[in-house]
Amino acid sequence: MKLLRYGAAGAEKVGALDAQGNIRDLSLLIPGDLTPDWLSPERLQALTAINLEKLPLVDKNVRLGVPVAGTRQFMAIGLNYRAHAAESGLDIPKEPVIFSKALTSLSGPNDDILLPDDSTATDWEIELGFVIGTKAQKVSEKDALKYIAGYCLANDVSERDWQIKRNGQWSKGKSFDTFGPIGPWLVTTDELTDPQKLEMELKVNGEVRQHSNTADMIFPVATIVSYLSQFMTLLPGDVVITGTPAGVGLGMKPQQFLKKGDVVTLRIDQLGTQTQKVV
């Protein structure tokens, strides 16, 4: 199932994508919001039994928001593709590199990217994301995928000067408002059973900058869930993004970064597309 939230920022309603690609309104079934309690396996299984064709259609041009509400933690993995580590001039990590993004950086998949004041080093990073559905503490890799509610497309927008030159702490360059576009929808795990064979592509102004496959991850999704859960409790609704492949602006020669008026488009198989204008 492809779950989504639509409408003006701060006033989103819950919807789903039907088999024909139309948005259907789920407000009669989920009158509030797509909060973490709706992400349990039992509730998701009940939702998949719904005949979406009988639900009201929604204008296809409506704004889409972050697919889930009530997220309490927004975690990210760095240097998780071999070619990206190489272009960054860094060794392959022996354990996952972890950082956090501010919850306030979350934005809809097609919302504008707002350049920070005087920024000349804002970069793009296409990533596979997942959302936790069941509280996870010290889980094994074997069982790890059972704790995931679904998968989503993400852009880990990054201001490199704040990330690298401002006395450490990657989160500084990752947490500006609009730096966490998520969506367009959350694809539940009954529909996407293998997150490690997804083609992904990012373009800037129509030119391909990143093209890879999640099969190239150093640490696959199951490893990431298990690893995180050893030292922190993952809660339903938490968003985790899993690293970016090669092709970021920081690694280009000469380096290239986003400027006002640029358009970034992203695609991951089965997870949809995003389009963001830089303002």
Side-chain angles (χ1 to χ4, degrees):
M1 193 173 197
K2 295 181 175 71
L3 294 168
L4 55 89
R5 295 168 66 246
Y6 70 91
E12 291 92 346
K13 296 181 179 180
V14 185
L17 204 70
D18 68 20
Q20 286 70 46
N22 300 310
I23 299 175
R24 300 283 179 166
D25 179 41
L26 290 182
S27 295
L28 291 176
L29 299 168
I30 306 177
D33 212 335
L34 194 61
T35 49
D37 53 307
W38 281 99
L39 300 177
S40 69
E42 297 78 17
R43 285 199 163 183
L44 290 179
Q45 186 175 8
L47 288 174
T48 60
I50 297 167
N51 183 354
L52 294 177
E53 306 295 332
K54 294 184 177 180
L55 297 177
L57 278 168
V58 176
D59 184 347
K60 64 181 181 181
N61 295 314
V62 71
R63 173 192 174 269
L64 297 178
V66 179
V68 295
T71 295
R72 287 165 283 190
Q73 300 179 103
F74 187 7
M75 303 301 298
I77 309 299
L79 301 174
N80 199 25
Y81 288 74
R82 289 174 176 81
H84 177 53
E87 73 175 352
S88 302
L90 299 170
D91 294 335
I92 300 295
K94 293 181 174 60
E95 296 187 29
V97 176
I98 310 297
F99 62 94
S100 63
K101 290 174 73 82
L103 293 178
T104 48
S105 70
L106 286 167
S107 60
N110 303 313
D111 291 348
D112 292 340
I113 294 172
L114 179 62
L115 283 179
D117 293 344
D118 303 318
S119 173
T120 58
T122 296
D123 208 346
W124 55 84
E125 291 192 11
I126 188 171
E127 306 205 6
L128 168 68
F130 63 83
V131 177
I132 295 295
T134 303
K135 181 179 177 180
Q137 293 174 295
K138 293 182 169 57
V139 304
S140 67
E141 286 192 35
K142 178 183 176 182
D143 294 329
L145 297 186
K146 298 176 184 177
Y147 292 82
I148 295 175
Y151 301 92
C152 55
L153 170 57
N155 187 358
D156 178 21
V157 185
S158 307
E159 213 294 331
R160 301 303 190 186
D161 286 343
W162 275 94
Q163 178 187 353
I164 298 169
K165 301 178 181 179
R166 301 296 290 263
N167 198 30
Q169 303 299 326
W170 284 10
S171 295
K172 294 178 184 179
K174 304 280 191 169
S175 291
F176 288 93
D177 289 356
T178 75
F179 272 30
I182 302 291
W185 39 71
L186 179 73
V187 181
T188 54
T189 55
D190 63 303
E191 189 169 324
L192 200 169
T193 58
D194 185 356
Q196 301 307 151
K197 55 179 183 180
L198 302 174
E199 288 287 322
M200 57 203 311
E201 183 177 78
L202 179 145
K203 298 179 181 179
V204 178
N205 300 327
E207 296 186 13
V208 175
R209 297 298 188 213
Q210 294 181 279
H211 186 94
S212 189
N213 190 293
T214 55
D216 293 329
M217 283 184 183
I218 299 167
F219 304 105
V221 171
T223 301
I224 292 168
V225 174
S226 177
Y227 184 85
L228 288 172
S229 76
Q230 303 308 308
F231 59 83
M232 65 183 291
T233 299
L234 296 173
L235 301 170
D238 286 354
V239 175
V240 181
I241 55 178
T242 60
T244 198
V248 298
L250 182 68
M252 298 178 70
K253 294 183 174 55
Q255 293 177 342
Q256 295 187 27
F257 298 110
L258 295 172
K259 59 187 184 302
K260 181 179 178 181
D262 284 347
V263 175
V264 186
T265 55
L266 305 85
R267 173 189 61 80
I268 295 182
D269 285 351
Q270 302 183 57
L271 299 181
T273 63
Q274 298 182 355
T275 301
Q276 295 126 21
K277 184 177 180 181
V278 181
V279 300

